[in-house]
Amino acid sequence: MTDLNTLEADVLAQVAAASDLQALDAVRVAAVGKTGSISGLLKTLGAMSPEERKTQGAAINALRDKVAEAISAKKAALEAAELDARLASETLDLSLPAPYRRKGSVHPTMQTMDEIVAVFAEMGFAVAEGPDIEDDFHNFTALNFPEKHPAREMHDTFFFNTKESGERMLLRTHTSPVQVRTMVSQQPPIRIIAPGRTYRVDNDATHTPVFHQVEGLVIDRGIHMGHLKWTLETFLARFFETDAVTTQFRPHHFPFTEPSAEMDVQCDRSGGEIKIGQGTSWLEILGCGMVHPNVLRACGIDPDEYQGFAFGMGVDRLGMLKYGMPDLRDMWSSDVRWLSHYGFSAFAAPNPASGLS
Ligand code: DAH
């Protein structure tokens, strides 16, 4: 019969000597594993007399518990030591200067937005702003979207939870609510553009959930479509810095304008890059039209006295066209290689006099 005391001293010495978790596990398997020394002793109980089994059984079980306890205590100590070593080796000196990687740059969409603002500012437009979180009245109702009309669904709106009052705020689906805010608070003549972020539940090669628009609004006496066409064509020639831009107006429907149109720019998309002023493709860049009399009325302006035109353009798309970026999704993937290729210097403030880009 193996002397239990000798076995105990032997196994406990091995536990104490284990220098890492792997060695400790080997000791555990050799002692209390399926074919381990202590497990082997338990198997001998069957051949003993009942008396002997009682005393030996209790003694072997006590030994097994003692060894198991010693192993788990040693395991905890080894794990703590391992963690301490790791913490010591992985310290980070936060006072060290950051490694040089690349200079920050202006994102092409922001550059494009600044360029659009610079061209319209030169044409006598003021910049107006509105909130990103809008209410139903400014985003839809005042813009002549009938209640429960499918046109509201067209916009794939991000809604907030309904308030106790029953009102439901939303992320503006276009910059057109800024028209409403401007007409409600200013008397004509009005000549504004409203650059900003807009939101829709949409995501593919030509749509992102957050995108950017610039809204335009002109209200005065005797305004007609001719003014609209001249303004947009003049803008595009200056923005693209060439007279070679070819555009087409397509009849369209917007609830807030009558008549309404969409404007496309001719381009070439054949070489994995977009080139303007050539090719056989058309890229839709803006919606426009004559402000609907219902919108003027909703904003307290008499349609018999004043008329106006409005337009809304996609900034990201204009940027893609001007700077030849083929996929809209790359613009927001935060890839530093893309940003260093397409980004602009923060000191290159766009100015039509010195050239825009
Ligand atoms: N709000 C429209 C959109 O997001 C764009 C637009 C079309 C704005 C016609 C206008 C307009 O001001 O007159 O699709």
Side-chain angles (χ1 to χ4, degrees), residues 109-126:
T109 289
M110 296 303 129
Q111 169 78 15
T112 305
M113 194 104 108
D114 289 347
E115 291 176 11
I116 297 170
V117 170
V119 173
F120 279 109
E122 202 193 36
M123 290 164 80
F125 283 71

Side-chain angles (χ1 to χ4, degrees), residues 155 173-176 179 200 211 213 215-216 254 256-257 260-262 284 286-291 309-313:
H155 277 214
T173 56
H174 49 178
T175 40
S176 304
Q179 284 187 29
R200 285 185 207 177
F211 56 107
Q213 288 189 339
E215 189 79 10
F254 296 106
F256 34 91
T257 41
S260 307
E262 277 189 332
E284 171 211 321
L286 60 85
C288 59
M290 299 303 293
V291 180
F309 67 77
F311 54 86
M313 55 182 77

Side-chain angles (χ1 to χ4, degrees), residues 107-114 116 175 196-199 204-214 239-240 269 274 283-286 312-332 338:
H107 191 281
T109 289
M110 296 303 129
Q111 169 78 15
T112 305
M113 194 104 108
D114 289 347
I116 297 170
T175 40
R197 265 193 297 268
T198 46
Y199 308 82
D204 59 39
T206 50
H207 298 89
T208 48
V210 183
F211 56 107
H212 300 79
Q213 288 189 339
V214 170
F239 175 77
F240 286 110
R269 307 186 76 156
I274 304 187
L283 193 73
E284 171 211 321
I285 50 161
L286 60 85
M313 55 182 77
V315 179
D316 312 87
R317 291 205 178 170
L318 278 167
M320 282 171 76
L321 262 180
K322 183 164 179 179
Y323 297 113
M325 300 169 291
D327 193 323
L328 199 58
R329 283 169 300 195
D330 295 336
M331 297 183 85
W332 308 108
W338 190 93

Side-chain angles (χ1 to χ4, degrees), residues 52-71:
E52 210 182 352
R53 192 181 305 144
K54 219 174 180 179
T55 53
Q56 280 299 314
I60 298 170
N61 276 326
L63 171 61
R64 192 192 51 189
D65 293 349
K66 201 166 181 184
V67 166
E69 218 171 273
I71 288 175

